[in-house]
Amino acid sequence: MSDRFAENQRKAEQYLARFKTKSLGHLIGGKGIAGYDGNVMENSTPIDGSTLNTVSMGGESEVNLAAGAASDAFSDWRNASGTARRQLLHRIADAVEARAEEISLVESVDTGQAIRFMSKAAIRGAENFRFFADRAPSARDGLHLPAVNQLNYTVREPVGPVGVITPWNTPFMLSTWKIAPALAAGCTVVHKPAEWSPLTAMLLAEITHEAGLPQGVLNLVNGIGEVAGRALTEHRDIAAIAFIGGSETGRHIMAQGAPTLKRVHFELGGKNPVIVFEDADFERALDAVVFMIYSLNGERCTSSSRLLVQSSIHDRFVDALAKRVKNIKVGHPLDPNTELGPLIHPNHHSKVCNYMKIGAAEGALIRVGGQAIDRDGGCYFQPTLLTGVSHEMRVAQEEIFGPVLSVLPFDDEAQAVQQANAVDYGLAGYLWTGDAGRAHRVAGQMDCGMIWVNSENVRHLPTPFGGMKSSGIGRDGGDYSFDFYMETKNICVATTDHRVPQLGLAD
Ligand code: NAD
């Protein structure tokens, strides 16, 4: 065991000790709340299945309390100046950075994500707060739309208290990606994190309050999706739901929110293609293909889980790929050498294992991996490469959300595009080619919300993030986030005594 690994384990234990002393509750109106009916759930680590802590499972009562706190706090928060909000969000970013090590280690143990990736989670979260902090003062700005005899101008106003529902894969970063723009816009928030990874949401809620966020502006309710999540989506005081999670859950949330005409923003699943043409830079494409499916345990919405590779280079590319996949270091997530940690939960582990049976029954070949790894009772799974896949197979169509890459050959550009688009999803797409014309042509035809050409996924916060088809509704990033968290209002002022149509003058 390296010194760094031992040090990570020692520190993680210290940071996690506080969670063992009492059940993790909720944070509502600036106060810690234990929960009303005593329902608790055990939260375990996927490293060895041991219990980290217990968590109060909130329901309608806790959601009512939190929605009430968010409603009460809304008026003052929406009327706070943009400058005040900017200063506060920067203070939150400072506080996140100051506790970056704690956040990373806790998240790594809670989720199984390798520390080499999680060490950046808190820093990226802080960047989200800084980015939206700087835009808070101009978030309300609108357009000047003059007409004859009239002056039209638009203003933007925060939509109201919003619900934020997040998944377990990179929970801290994703929560900040939603909460930071909501707060910058002037909305108050009720956050419902995923039940399999509740710890860093509480750290975030605490940090925001320690940084001076007024009571009730950010509230946290822990609980089961179908109970606490449902209550939040149905609550009449919650104006909008920002949701990150699976497409099926998105469908439920849309139905649950229908009676109250909830505004929804969905970042959902993906089955993202990476197309490698024969004229691509072979080695760089190989690096990116490996990185974009085996990093973050493959539990990544933008993972390139389908490799479409031109037939002329298929065998050479797959041989090189297989060699790399066999070399991926699976291990304890706190070991800095680990590239692939345990999957989040035994249920998810079983789901990924089951896809091996499904793939084999459909005729796919397990070229590398495909097995659970028996290690410390944890949820480990081998990095897996499936070849001989055709696009109607379930392993080419469904989101496995694990370290499993399906390889499909194609002959020409038209077939590459046809296969890339032949899924229900449309989140991200990647393409590798040395031909600039082809890059633009193919990118233009791919049904994906985001396309990276000759690149892995590199985020630039002002750009729109989101998916088409079953991958989502709406975009995050830059001003796109404010479009969701704010209403645009038009104000029309007459500039002359124009003639007003007259009714009721007869007799
Ligand atoms: P999930 O849909 O099971 O759960 C997400 C959240 O929704 C959890 O907090 C859960 O408690 C809650 N929830 C579940 N049922 C609910 C209901 N009926 N009403 C309200 N809330 C409910 O997703 P998951 O398994 O936690 O996360 C994995 C999924 O998230 C994958 O499909 C992945 O692609 C997707 N994801 C998408 C993005 C993106 O940006 N597009 C990013 C990360 C993850």
Side-chain angles (χ1 to χ4, degrees), residues 301-329:
C301 58
T302 51
S303 72
S304 55
S305 49
R306 282 187 301 148
L307 166 63
L308 313 182
V309 58
Q310 196 150 17
S311 305
S312 50
I313 58 164
H314 175 276
D315 292 355
R316 191 160 70 93
F317 199 84
V318 169
D319 286 349
L321 189 55
K323 215 165 138 195
R324 295 281 290 273
V325 179
K326 280 183 198 149
N327 270 337
I328 286 174
K329 289 191 187 66

PDB file of all heavy atoms in Angstrom, residues 301-329:
ATOM      1  N   CYS A 301     -22.953  10.056 -17.657  1.00  0.00           N
ATOM      2  CA  CYS A 301     -24.004  10.216 -18.670  1.00  0.00           C
ATOM      3  C   CYS A 301     -23.418  10.441 -20.056  1.00  0.00           C
ATOM      4  O   CYS A 301     -23.993  10.027 -21.050  1.00  0.00           O
ATOM      5  CB  CYS A 301     -24.928  11.369 -18.296  1.00  0.00           C
ATOM      6  SG  CYS A 301     -24.048  12.924 -18.104  1.00  0.00           S
ATOM      7  N   THR A 302     -22.246  11.078 -20.134  1.00  0.00           N
ATOM      8  CA  THR A 302     -21.655  11.380 -21.445  1.00  0.00           C
ATOM      9  C   THR A 302     -20.618  10.338 -21.866  1.00  0.00           C
ATOM     10  O   THR A 302     -19.831  10.586 -22.782  1.00  0.00           O
ATOM     11  CB  THR A 302     -20.989  12.771 -21.424  1.00  0.00           C
ATOM     12  OG1 THR A 302     -20.116  12.825 -20.291  1.00  0.00           O
ATOM     13  CG2 THR A 302     -21.998  13.892 -21.354  1.00  0.00           C
ATOM     14  N   SER A 303     -20.610   9.181 -21.199  1.00  0.00           N
ATOM     15  CA  SER A 303     -19.621   8.161 -21.578  1.00  0.00           C
ATOM     16  C   SER A 303     -19.885   7.714 -23.017  1.00  0.00           C
ATOM     17  O   SER A 303     -21.026   7.625 -23.458  1.00  0.00           O
ATOM     18  CB  SER A 303     -19.719   6.953 -20.647  1.00  0.00           C
ATOM     19  OG  SER A 303     -20.891   6.225 -20.932  1.00  0.00           O
ATOM     20  N   SER A 304     -18.801   7.437 -23.744  1.00  0.00           N
ATOM     21  CA  SER A 304     -18.991   6.942 -25.118  1.00  0.00           C
ATOM     22  C   SER A 304     -19.073   5.422 -25.033  1.00  0.00           C
ATOM     23  O   SER A 304     -18.071   4.728 -25.115  1.00  0.00           O
ATOM     24  CB  SER A 304     -17.841   7.394 -26.014  1.00  0.00           C
ATOM     25  OG  SER A 304     -16.605   6.998 -25.475  1.00  0.00           O
ATOM     26  N   SER A 305     -20.278   4.939 -24.860  1.00  0.00           N
ATOM     27  CA  SER A 305     -20.468   3.512 -24.608  1.00  0.00           C
ATOM     28  C   SER A 305     -20.629   2.701 -25.890  1.00  0.00           C
ATOM     29  O   SER A 305     -20.671   1.477 -25.846  1.00  0.00           O
ATOM     30  CB  SER A 305     -21.682   3.303 -23.696  1.00  0.00           C
ATOM     31  OG  SER A 305     -22.779   4.035 -24.196  1.00  0.00           O
ATOM     32  N   ARG A 306     -20.717   3.390 -27.024  1.00  0.00           N
ATOM     33  CA  ARG A 306     -20.781   2.683 -28.323  1.00  0.00           C
ATOM     34  C   ARG A 306     -19.631   3.162 -29.189  1.00  0.00           C
ATOM     35  O   ARG A 306     -19.569   4.352 -29.526  1.00  0.00           O
ATOM     36  CB  ARG A 306     -22.076   3.025 -29.059  1.00  0.00           C
ATOM     37  CG  ARG A 306     -23.299   2.313 -28.562  1.00  0.00           C
ATOM     38  CD  ARG A 306     -24.484   2.599 -29.465  1.00  0.00           C
ATOM     39  NE  ARG A 306     -24.803   4.009 -29.550  1.00  0.00           N
ATOM     40  CZ  ARG A 306     -25.311   4.606 -30.622  1.00  0.00           C
ATOM     41  NH1 ARG A 306     -25.530   3.916 -31.728  1.00  0.00           N
ATOM     42  NH2 ARG A 306     -25.604   5.893 -30.595  1.00  0.00           N
ATOM     43  N   LEU A 307     -18.747   2.253 -29.550  1.00  0.00           N
ATOM     44  CA  LEU A 307     -17.668   2.615 -30.471  1.00  0.00           C
ATOM     45  C   LEU A 307     -18.067   2.178 -31.876  1.00  0.00           C
ATOM     46  O   LEU A 307     -18.275   0.990 -32.127  1.00  0.00           O
ATOM     47  CB  LEU A 307     -16.368   1.913 -30.052  1.00  0.00           C
ATOM     48  CG  LEU A 307     -15.244   1.932 -31.091  1.00  0.00           C
ATOM     49  CD1 LEU A 307     -14.779   3.363 -31.387  1.00  0.00           C
ATOM     50  CD2 LEU A 307     -14.067   1.091 -30.609  1.00  0.00           C
ATOM     51  N   LEU A 308     -18.194   3.152 -32.781  1.00  0.00           N
ATOM     52  CA  LEU A 308     -18.435   2.847 -34.193  1.00  0.00           C
ATOM     53  C   LEU A 308     -17.101   3.065 -34.901  1.00  0.00           C
ATOM     54  O   LEU A 308     -16.606   4.196 -34.955  1.00  0.00           O
ATOM     55  CB  LEU A 308     -19.504   3.777 -34.775  1.00  0.00           C
ATOM     56  CG  LEU A 308     -20.791   3.961 -33.949  1.00  0.00           C
ATOM     57  CD1 LEU A 308     -21.770   4.866 -34.664  1.00  0.00           C
ATOM     58  CD2 LEU A 308     -21.435   2.615 -33.662  1.00  0.00           C
ATOM     59  N   VAL A 309     -16.518   1.986 -35.380  1.00  0.00           N
ATOM     60  CA  VAL A 309     -15.171   2.100 -35.951  1.00  0.00           C
ATOM     61  C   VAL A 309     -15.201   1.602 -37.400  1.00  0.00           C
ATOM     62  O   VAL A 309     -15.839   0.585 -37.710  1.00  0.00           O
ATOM     63  CB  VAL A 309     -14.136   1.352 -35.066  1.00  0.00           C
ATOM     64  CG1 VAL A 309     -14.467  -0.111 -34.894  1.00  0.00           C
ATOM     65  CG2 VAL A 309     -12.722   1.531 -35.583  1.00  0.00           C
ATOM     66  N   GLN A 310     -14.520   2.343 -38.268  1.00  0.00           N
ATOM     67  CA  GLN A 310     -14.566   2.013 -39.702  1.00  0.00           C
ATOM     68  C   GLN A 310     -13.947   0.627 -39.930  1.00  0.00           C
ATOM     69  O   GLN A 310     -12.888   0.302 -39.364  1.00  0.00           O
ATOM     70  CB  GLN A 310     -13.825   3.087 -40.509  1.00  0.00           C
ATOM     71  CG  GLN A 310     -14.164   3.032 -41.973  1.00  0.00           C
ATOM     72  CD  GLN A 310     -14.083   4.384 -42.666  1.00  0.00           C
ATOM     73  OE1 GLN A 310     -13.481   5.333 -42.165  1.00  0.00           O
ATOM     74  NE2 GLN A 310     -14.704   4.481 -43.841  1.00  0.00           N
ATOM     75  N   SER A 311     -14.600  -0.164 -40.771  1.00  0.00           N
ATOM     76  CA  SER A 311     -14.211  -1.575 -40.956  1.00  0.00           C
ATOM     77  C   SER A 311     -12.734  -1.724 -41.326  1.00  0.00           C
ATOM     78  O   SER A 311     -12.066  -2.660 -40.883  1.00  0.00           O
ATOM     79  CB  SER A 311     -15.058  -2.212 -42.057  1.00  0.00           C
ATOM     80  OG  SER A 311     -16.403  -2.045 -41.748  1.00  0.00           O
ATOM     81  N   SER A 312     -12.225  -0.782 -42.131  1.00  0.00           N
ATOM     82  CA  SER A 312     -10.834  -0.894 -42.609  1.00  0.00           C
ATOM     83  C   SER A 312      -9.810  -0.857 -41.468  1.00  0.00           C
ATOM     84  O   SER A 312      -8.698  -1.357 -41.632  1.00  0.00           O
ATOM     85  CB  SER A 312     -10.548   0.234 -43.604  1.00  0.00           C
ATOM     86  OG  SER A 312     -10.955   1.470 -43.035  1.00  0.00           O
ATOM     87  N   ILE A 313     -10.163  -0.240 -40.339  1.00  0.00           N
ATOM     88  CA  ILE A 313      -9.207  -0.206 -39.213  1.00  0.00           C
ATOM     89  C   ILE A 313      -9.751  -0.966 -37.990  1.00  0.00           C
ATOM     90  O   ILE A 313      -9.156  -0.937 -36.915  1.00  0.00           O
ATOM     91  CB  ILE A 313      -8.842   1.250 -38.796  1.00  0.00           C
ATOM     92  CG1 ILE A 313     -10.101   2.038 -38.394  1.00  0.00           C
ATOM     93  CG2 ILE A 313      -8.048   1.954 -39.880  1.00  0.00           C
ATOM     94  CD1 ILE A 313      -9.772   3.318 -37.613  1.00  0.00           C
ATOM     95  N   HIS A 314     -10.889  -1.613 -38.181  1.00  0.00           N
ATOM     96  CA  HIS A 314     -11.575  -2.251 -37.048  1.00  0.00           C
ATOM     97  C   HIS A 314     -10.656  -3.192 -36.266  1.00  0.00           C
ATOM     98  O   HIS A 314     -10.477  -3.054 -35.049  1.00  0.00           O
ATOM     99  CB  HIS A 314     -12.820  -2.994 -37.545  1.00  0.00           C
ATOM    100  CG  HIS A 314     -13.520  -3.782 -36.482  1.00  0.00           C
ATOM    101  ND1 HIS A 314     -13.144  -5.063 -36.118  1.00  0.00           N
ATOM    102  CD2 HIS A 314     -14.562  -3.472 -35.674  1.00  0.00           C
ATOM    103  CE1 HIS A 314     -13.921  -5.506 -35.149  1.00  0.00           C
ATOM    104  NE2 HIS A 314     -14.795  -4.557 -34.856  1.00  0.00           N
ATOM    105  N   ASP A 315     -10.024  -4.137 -36.950  1.00  0.00           N
ATOM    106  CA  ASP A 315      -9.275  -5.178 -36.224  1.00  0.00           C
ATOM    107  C   ASP A 315      -8.076  -4.575 -35.501  1.00  0.00           C
ATOM    108  O   ASP A 315      -7.802  -4.901 -34.341  1.00  0.00           O
ATOM    109  CB  ASP A 315      -8.822  -6.282 -37.184  1.00  0.00           C
ATOM    110  CG  ASP A 315     -10.027  -7.074 -37.707  1.00  0.00           C
ATOM    111  OD1 ASP A 315     -11.156  -6.805 -37.236  1.00  0.00           O
ATOM    112  OD2 ASP A 315      -9.838  -7.936 -38.580  1.00  0.00           O
ATOM    113  N   ARG A 316      -7.380  -3.678 -36.190  1.00  0.00           N
ATOM    114  CA  ARG A 316      -6.193  -3.058 -35.591  1.00  0.00           C
ATOM    115  C   ARG A 316      -6.606  -2.222 -34.368  1.00  0.00           C
ATOM    116  O   ARG A 316      -5.973  -2.269 -33.318  1.00  0.00           O
ATOM    117  CB  ARG A 316      -5.500  -2.170 -36.639  1.00  0.00           C
ATOM    118  CG  ARG A 316      -4.122  -1.690 -36.232  1.00  0.00           C
ATOM    119  CD  ARG A 316      -3.324  -1.253 -37.460  1.00  0.00           C
ATOM    120  NE  ARG A 316      -3.823  -0.033 -38.056  1.00  0.00           N
ATOM    121  CZ  ARG A 316      -3.385   1.187 -37.781  1.00  0.00           C
ATOM    122  NH1 ARG A 316      -2.436   1.363 -36.876  1.00  0.00           N
ATOM    123  NH2 ARG A 316      -3.883   2.249 -38.403  1.00  0.00           N
ATOM    124  N   PHE A 317      -7.706  -1.472 -34.526  1.00  0.00           N
ATOM    125  CA  PHE A 317      -8.151  -0.603 -33.427  1.00  0.00           C
ATOM    126  C   PHE A 317      -8.619  -1.447 -32.237  1.00  0.00           C
ATOM    127  O   PHE A 317      -8.271  -1.172 -31.084  1.00  0.00           O
ATOM    128  CB  PHE A 317      -9.273   0.330 -33.907  1.00  0.00           C
ATOM    129  CG  PHE A 317      -9.480   1.534 -33.026  1.00  0.00           C
ATOM    130  CD1 PHE A 317      -8.713   2.675 -33.187  1.00  0.00           C
ATOM    131  CD2 PHE A 317     -10.421   1.519 -32.006  1.00  0.00           C
ATOM    132  CE1 PHE A 317      -8.874   3.787 -32.362  1.00  0.00           C
ATOM    133  CE2 PHE A 317     -10.603   2.614 -31.171  1.00  0.00           C
ATOM    134  CZ  PHE A 317      -9.823   3.755 -31.369  1.00  0.00           C
ATOM    135  N   VAL A 318      -9.373  -2.481 -32.518  1.00  0.00           N
ATOM    136  CA  VAL A 318      -9.913  -3.313 -31.430  1.00  0.00           C
ATOM    137  C   VAL A 318      -8.785  -4.070 -30.717  1.00  0.00           C
ATOM    138  O   VAL A 318      -8.798  -4.209 -29.489  1.00  0.00           O
ATOM    139  CB  VAL A 318     -11.020  -4.258 -31.963  1.00  0.00           C
ATOM    140  CG1 VAL A 318     -11.400  -5.299 -30.922  1.00  0.00           C
ATOM    141  CG2 VAL A 318     -12.249  -3.450 -32.363  1.00  0.00           C
ATOM    142  N   ASP A 319      -7.779  -4.518 -31.475  1.00  0.00           N
ATOM    143  CA  ASP A 319      -6.627  -5.194 -30.824  1.00  0.00           C
ATOM    144  C   ASP A 319      -5.930  -4.234 -29.856  1.00  0.00           C
ATOM    145  O   ASP A 319      -5.601  -4.603 -28.721  1.00  0.00           O
ATOM    146  CB  ASP A 319      -5.602  -5.662 -31.877  1.00  0.00           C
ATOM    147  CG  ASP A 319      -6.100  -6.886 -32.628  1.00  0.00           C
ATOM    148  OD1 ASP A 319      -7.112  -7.482 -32.192  1.00  0.00           O
ATOM    149  OD2 ASP A 319      -5.488  -7.230 -33.661  1.00  0.00           O
ATOM    150  N   ALA A 320      -5.705  -3.011 -30.321  1.00  0.00           N
ATOM    151  CA  ALA A 320      -5.019  -2.018 -29.476  1.00  0.00           C
ATOM    152  C   ALA A 320      -5.882  -1.681 -28.256  1.00  0.00           C
ATOM    153  O   ALA A 320      -5.384  -1.532 -27.136  1.00  0.00           O
ATOM    154  CB  ALA A 320      -4.728  -0.767 -30.294  1.00  0.00           C
ATOM    155  N   LEU A 321      -7.169  -1.597 -28.506  1.00  0.00           N
ATOM    156  CA  LEU A 321      -8.119  -1.275 -27.438  1.00  0.00           C
ATOM    157  C   LEU A 321      -8.124  -2.388 -26.382  1.00  0.00           C
ATOM    158  O   LEU A 321      -8.056  -2.121 -25.169  1.00  0.00           O
ATOM    159  CB  LEU A 321      -9.501  -1.151 -28.094  1.00  0.00           C
ATOM    160  CG  LEU A 321     -10.679  -0.631 -27.326  1.00  0.00           C
ATOM    161  CD1 LEU A 321     -10.384   0.725 -26.726  1.00  0.00           C
ATOM    162  CD2 LEU A 321     -11.890  -0.520 -28.273  1.00  0.00           C
ATOM    163  N   ALA A 322      -8.179  -3.624 -26.850  1.00  0.00           N
ATOM    164  CA  ALA A 322      -8.246  -4.771 -25.930  1.00  0.00           C
ATOM    165  C   ALA A 322      -7.025  -4.769 -25.013  1.00  0.00           C
ATOM    166  O   ALA A 322      -7.144  -5.031 -23.798  1.00  0.00           O
ATOM    167  CB  ALA A 322      -8.326  -6.069 -26.725  1.00  0.00           C
ATOM    168  N   LYS A 323      -5.878  -4.444 -25.579  1.00  0.00           N
ATOM    169  CA  LYS A 323      -4.651  -4.417 -24.776  1.00  0.00           C
ATOM    170  C   LYS A 323      -4.764  -3.373 -23.661  1.00  0.00           C
ATOM    171  O   LYS A 323      -4.422  -3.637 -22.504  1.00  0.00           O
ATOM    172  CB  LYS A 323      -3.481  -4.044 -25.705  1.00  0.00           C
ATOM    173  CG  LYS A 323      -2.203  -4.707 -25.372  1.00  0.00           C
ATOM    174  CD  LYS A 323      -1.243  -4.566 -26.533  1.00  0.00           C
ATOM    175  CE  LYS A 323       0.138  -4.243 -25.986  1.00  0.00           C
ATOM    176  NZ  LYS A 323       1.042  -3.752 -27.004  1.00  0.00           N
ATOM    177  N   ARG A 324      -5.287  -2.221 -24.011  1.00  0.00           N
ATOM    178  CA  ARG A 324      -5.425  -1.152 -23.014  1.00  0.00           C
ATOM    179  C   ARG A 324      -6.456  -1.524 -21.943  1.00  0.00           C
ATOM    180  O   ARG A 324      -6.264  -1.265 -20.758  1.00  0.00           O
ATOM    181  CB  ARG A 324      -5.845   0.155 -23.705  1.00  0.00           C
ATOM    182  CG  ARG A 324      -4.808   0.706 -24.662  1.00  0.00           C
ATOM    183  CD  ARG A 324      -3.687   1.428 -23.931  1.00  0.00           C
ATOM    184  NE  ARG A 324      -4.145   2.671 -23.359  1.00  0.00           N
ATOM    185  CZ  ARG A 324      -4.172   3.831 -24.020  1.00  0.00           C
ATOM    186  NH1 ARG A 324      -3.731   3.903 -25.258  1.00  0.00           N
ATOM    187  NH2 ARG A 324      -4.602   4.925 -23.444  1.00  0.00           N
ATOM    188  N   VAL A 325      -7.567  -2.105 -22.383  1.00  0.00           N
ATOM    189  CA  VAL A 325      -8.656  -2.415 -21.440  1.00  0.00           C
ATOM    190  C   VAL A 325      -8.177  -3.448 -20.411  1.00  0.00           C
ATOM    191  O   VAL A 325      -8.468  -3.332 -19.213  1.00  0.00           O
ATOM    192  CB  VAL A 325      -9.920  -2.905 -22.186  1.00  0.00           C
ATOM    193  CG1 VAL A 325     -11.026  -3.242 -21.200  1.00  0.00           C
ATOM    194  CG2 VAL A 325     -10.402  -1.846 -23.173  1.00  0.00           C
ATOM    195  N   LYS A 326      -7.385  -4.417 -20.885  1.00  0.00           N
ATOM    196  CA  LYS A 326      -6.858  -5.446 -19.960  1.00  0.00           C
ATOM    197  C   LYS A 326      -5.947  -4.825 -18.908  1.00  0.00           C
ATOM    198  O   LYS A 326      -5.779  -5.358 -17.823  1.00  0.00           O
ATOM    199  CB  LYS A 326      -6.058  -6.483 -20.752  1.00  0.00           C
ATOM    200  CG  LYS A 326      -6.928  -7.502 -21.429  1.00  0.00           C
ATOM    201  CD  LYS A 326      -6.072  -8.542 -22.143  1.00  0.00           C
ATOM    202  CE  LYS A 326      -6.914  -9.284 -23.152  1.00  0.00           C
ATOM    203  NZ  LYS A 326      -6.186  -9.728 -24.314  1.00  0.00           N
ATOM    204  N   ASN A 327      -5.336  -3.706 -19.263  1.00  0.00           N
ATOM    205  CA  ASN A 327      -4.363  -3.061 -18.365  1.00  0.00           C
ATOM    206  C   ASN A 327      -4.987  -2.101 -17.358  1.00  0.00           C
ATOM    207  O   ASN A 327      -4.279  -1.566 -16.513  1.00  0.00           O
ATOM    208  CB  ASN A 327      -3.371  -2.233 -19.193  1.00  0.00           C
ATOM    209  CG  ASN A 327      -2.184  -3.061 -19.589  1.00  0.00           C
ATOM    210  OD1 ASN A 327      -1.896  -4.063 -18.931  1.00  0.00           O
ATOM    211  ND2 ASN A 327      -1.528  -2.668 -20.650  1.00  0.00           N
ATOM    212  N   ILE A 328      -6.274  -1.829 -17.501  1.00  0.00           N
ATOM    213  CA  ILE A 328      -6.895  -0.840 -16.598  1.00  0.00           C
ATOM    214  C   ILE A 328      -6.830  -1.354 -15.167  1.00  0.00           C
ATOM    215  O   ILE A 328      -7.156  -2.514 -14.898  1.00  0.00           O
ATOM    216  CB  ILE A 328      -8.345  -0.548 -17.048  1.00  0.00           C
ATOM    217  CG1 ILE A 328      -8.286   0.318 -18.313  1.00  0.00           C
ATOM    218  CG2 ILE A 328      -9.141   0.161 -15.952  1.00  0.00           C
ATOM    219  CD1 ILE A 328      -9.603   0.566 -18.960  1.00  0.00           C
ATOM    220  N   LYS A 329      -6.410  -0.483 -14.275  1.00  0.00           N
ATOM    221  CA  LYS A 329      -6.211  -0.907 -12.884  1.00  0.00           C
ATOM    222  C   LYS A 329      -7.516  -0.780 -12.103  1.00  0.00           C
ATOM    223  O   LYS A 329      -8.014   0.326 -11.874  1.00  0.00           O
ATOM    224  CB  LYS A 329      -5.153  -0.027 -12.219  1.00  0.00           C
ATOM    225  CG  LYS A 329      -3.768  -0.284 -12.734  1.00  0.00           C
ATOM    226  CD  LYS A 329      -2.743   0.413 -11.848  1.00  0.00           C
ATOM    227  CE  LYS A 329      -1.361   0.304 -12.452  1.00  0.00           C
ATOM    228  NZ  LYS A 329      -1.226   1.047 -13.725  1.00  0.00           N
TER     229      LYS A 329
END
